[in-house]
Amino acid sequence: MALLPCGRKKVGCKRKGLEKRQGRCFDSIQFFDPVLGPSNNFATFLPSQLSTLTALISLYLGYNHFQGSIPSSIANISNLHYLDLSYNNLSSSSSLPSEVFTSKDLITLDISGNHLNGQIPSTVGNCTKLKYLFLNHNALSGSIPSNLGRCTKLEYLDLNDNAISGSIPSNLGKLSSLECWDVSHNKLTGTLPESLGQLSKLKELRIYDNLMEGIVSESHFDNLTALRNFDAFGNSLTLKVSASWTRRVQFETLQLSSWKLGPQFPTWIRSQKFLQDLNLSFTGISDTIPPWLFNSSLGSIDLSHNQLHGKSSNISEIVKGGISPVLCEVKNEIQVLEYLWYLDLGENSLSGEIPDCWMNYPYLNHINLNSNNFTGSIPRSLFHLEDLDYLGLGNNSLTGPITFDFVNLE
């Protein structure tokens, strides 16, 4: 792709005040979106002439096949508000140049989906008007620069799927406008700084698949009243809260797999009235499952790889969301868990017979009861689950035939 001088074919400069200019008029272009949008196939390097577009405000070159590095001369475009170089093939041998953060008016920077490596430049702190920063899906390494805490207008910060290491700087608690923060799938260590509890506008926090450890307490969450989605699985953090703790935050998604929560089942979850997705697998819980857990809002429940125990009568109550084992056998029961579609109780110590009330949960498509101590036969009500994609009953002590109805279901 080549940028042509004024007056030549493919470039029209007929704006008022430009008709009499001689030579190039690149310094007056404010918006550059080639061929009316992204998603082209230029398969070349970023043109050096971009640095001559000194009046450029918006540059959208995402979803192309640009190669090589980001030229340091991009610093000449000092008035940029919006820069999108996402999902190209920018080189893995090149780092993210500090010059990208030259413009103090920068509002949106999206360089996600490339192969850039090296550290995030500390010059990011110069962009105090920055609202949207997307550096995800690269090969960035090093630590998160503490200067990022100066970007107090930042609303979306996505650093996921890199190789970023070190701990989370405590001054990131100054990002008072932050609504969505994703640092998942990196190599972060340390614990969550208590300063994160100052992010009162935070709605989504994703820190999963890191190497974090340490203590997380009530003070981390008490002021996060806007937080709805907390994906933190794959770390070795320990949650220590008092038995009487009642969270003001109401989660919709809560993923704490691999945290240290046990041995008692965390009773504070009872205060969650809008919980839809709960994952407490691999958390060291050695307890019975409280019947109140399975309220009507839950759609996905993963309690696998713990030491949960209890007879089948308890399981009946659990599956019925607190309804008695007698009512569990009633056909056409009105109060059913219509939203429950995923249930994983595998790798526990549950025993007794598997309850026979599954017809009341018609949207279940995944049931895992593998590696428990269940006895008896396979309940026929499982045959009523027309949407069932996966049924795990292995490594139990079940007896009796697999009926022809069940074969048809598969």
Side-chain angles (χ1 to χ4, degrees):
M1 183 184 72
L3 300 181
L4 302 178
C6 283
R8 295 192 183 180
K9 191 176 180 181
K10 293 188 181 180
V11 174
C13 291
K14 301 211 172 174
R15 300 182 197 171
K16 184 176 181 181
L18 298 181
E19 293 87 345
K20 296 182 180 180
R21 288 202 178 207
Q22 300 295 321
R24 300 175 186 267
C25 66
F26 299 153
D27 58 345
S28 297
I29 298 177
Q30 292 185 322
F31 302 92
F32 187 58
D33 195 349
V35 199
L36 301 180
S39 303
N40 291 289
N41 189 16
F42 293 116
T44 184
F45 296 98
L46 288 170
S48 60
Q49 294 98 324
L50 284 176
S51 62
T52 65
L53 304 176
T54 55
L56 198 65
I57 292 177
S58 301
L59 177 59
Y60 298 98
L61 295 175
Y63 291 88
N64 289 288
H65 291 80
F66 285 113
Q67 305 170 8
S69 60
I70 301 174
S72 59
S73 58
I74 200 170
N76 296 335
I77 316 175
S78 57
N79 297 313
L80 266 181
H81 289 186
Y82 308 96
L83 175 59
D84 186 347
L85 301 175
S86 61
Y87 293 93
N88 283 285
N89 291 314
L90 298 177
S91 177
S92 59
S93 62
S94 301
S95 59
L96 179 61
S98 59
E99 290 81 3
V100 168
F101 301 102
T102 298
S103 175
K104 295 182 179 181
D105 295 319
L106 195 63
I107 295 175
T108 299
L109 176 63
D110 190 348
I111 313 184
S112 57
N114 284 286
H115 309 286
L116 297 170
N117 59 25
Q119 296 189 7
I120 301 172
S122 61
T123 51
V124 65
N126 297 334
C127 302
T128 55
K129 296 181 181 179
L130 195 63
K131 290 186 177 181
Y132 308 97
L133 179 59
F134 301 98
L135 303 179
N136 48 298
H137 301 298
N138 278 286
L140 298 173
S141 58
S143 58
I144 300 174
S146 59
N147 277 1
L148 187 60
R150 298 175 57 189
C151 303
T152 55
K153 294 185 178 180
L154 202 60
E155 297 179 8
Y156 287 79
L157 174 59
D158 195 344
L159 306 177
N160 91 82
D161 196 18
N162 282 286
I164 299 172
S165 58
S167 58
I168 297 174
S170 60
N171 67 344
L172 294 194
K174 298 178 180 179
L175 302 179
S176 56
S177 300
L178 200 61
E179 296 182 8
C180 180
W181 187 11
D182 191 343
V183 289
S184 59
H185 201 59
N186 279 285
K187 298 179 180 180
L188 293 172
T189 55
T191 190
L192 284 175
E194 288 191 23
S195 59
L196 293 187
Q198 303 170 21
L199 305 179
S200 59
K201 295 183 180 180
L202 193 64
K203 298 178 181 178
E204 299 184 15
L205 178 58
R206 298 186 177 95
I207 61 170
Y208 63 85
D209 282 342
N210 277 286
L211 304 171
M212 303 180 70
E213 55 187 5
I215 304 299
V216 177
S217 64
E218 301 170 15
S219 60
H220 287 82
F221 298 100
D222 281 343
N223 294 321
L224 300 182
T225 55
L227 190 61
R228 293 295 175 264
N229 300 312
F230 185 37
D231 295 328
F233 60 87
N235 289 284
S236 298
L237 293 162
T238 300
L239 183 63
K240 287 192 175 181
V241 297
S242 64
S244 60
W245 180 44
T246 301
R247 283 188 173 182
R248 292 194 294 163
V249 60
Q250 289 291 319
F251 291 111
E252 295 177 4
T253 298
L254 184 60
Q255 302 264 353
L256 299 181
S257 178
S258 299
W259 283 45
K260 296 178 177 64
L261 301 181
Q264 283 78 37
F265 199 95
T267 57
W268 51 264
I269 292 179
R270 189 170 190 173
S271 65
Q272 302 301 304
K273 304 302 181 183
F274 306 105
L275 196 57
Q276 299 174 14
D277 187 350
L278 177 65
N279 188 341
L280 300 183
S281 61
F282 294 97
T283 52
I285 299 175
S286 180
D287 201 352
T288 58
I289 306 174
W292 49 258
L293 176 67
F294 287 70
N295 61 64
S296 60
S297 67
L298 277 164
S300 176
I301 301 169
D302 189 346
L303 303 177
S304 63
H305 296 87
N306 284 290
Q307 293 83 46
L308 297 171
H309 52 85
K311 295 293 184 179
S312 61
S313 61
N314 290 334
I315 301 300
S316 297
E317 292 185 2
I318 290 164
V319 176
K320 288 293 293 181
I323 300 174
S324 71
V326 175
L327 291 178
C328 185
E329 303 296 332
V330 175
K331 305 287 185 180
N332 301 318
E333 173 61 35
I334 296 176
Q335 296 180 348
V336 297
L337 286 178
E338 294 182 352
Y339 301 106
L340 188 62
W341 64 272
Y342 184 100
L343 179 62
D344 193 339
L345 301 176
E347 301 284 346
N348 279 287
S349 300
L350 299 168
S351 60
E353 292 189 359
I354 298 173
D356 195 13
C357 57
W358 301 96
M359 79 291 287
N360 294 325
Y361 311 97
Y363 301 109
L364 273 168
N365 60 40
H366 182 106
I367 301 174
N368 182 15
L369 303 177
N370 286 326
S371 300
N372 280 282
N373 299 314
F374 289 118
T375 58
S377 60
I378 300 173
R380 295 184 61 84
S381 58
L382 285 170
F383 309 151
H384 293 263
L385 301 178
E386 297 180 357
D387 294 332
L388 194 63
D389 292 330
Y390 177 84
L391 176 61
L393 301 175
N395 199 21
N396 282 287
S397 299
L398 299 175
T399 58
I402 298 177
T403 67
F404 186 74
D405 289 346
F406 184 75
V407 176
N408 286 341
L409 180 62
E410 291 186 321

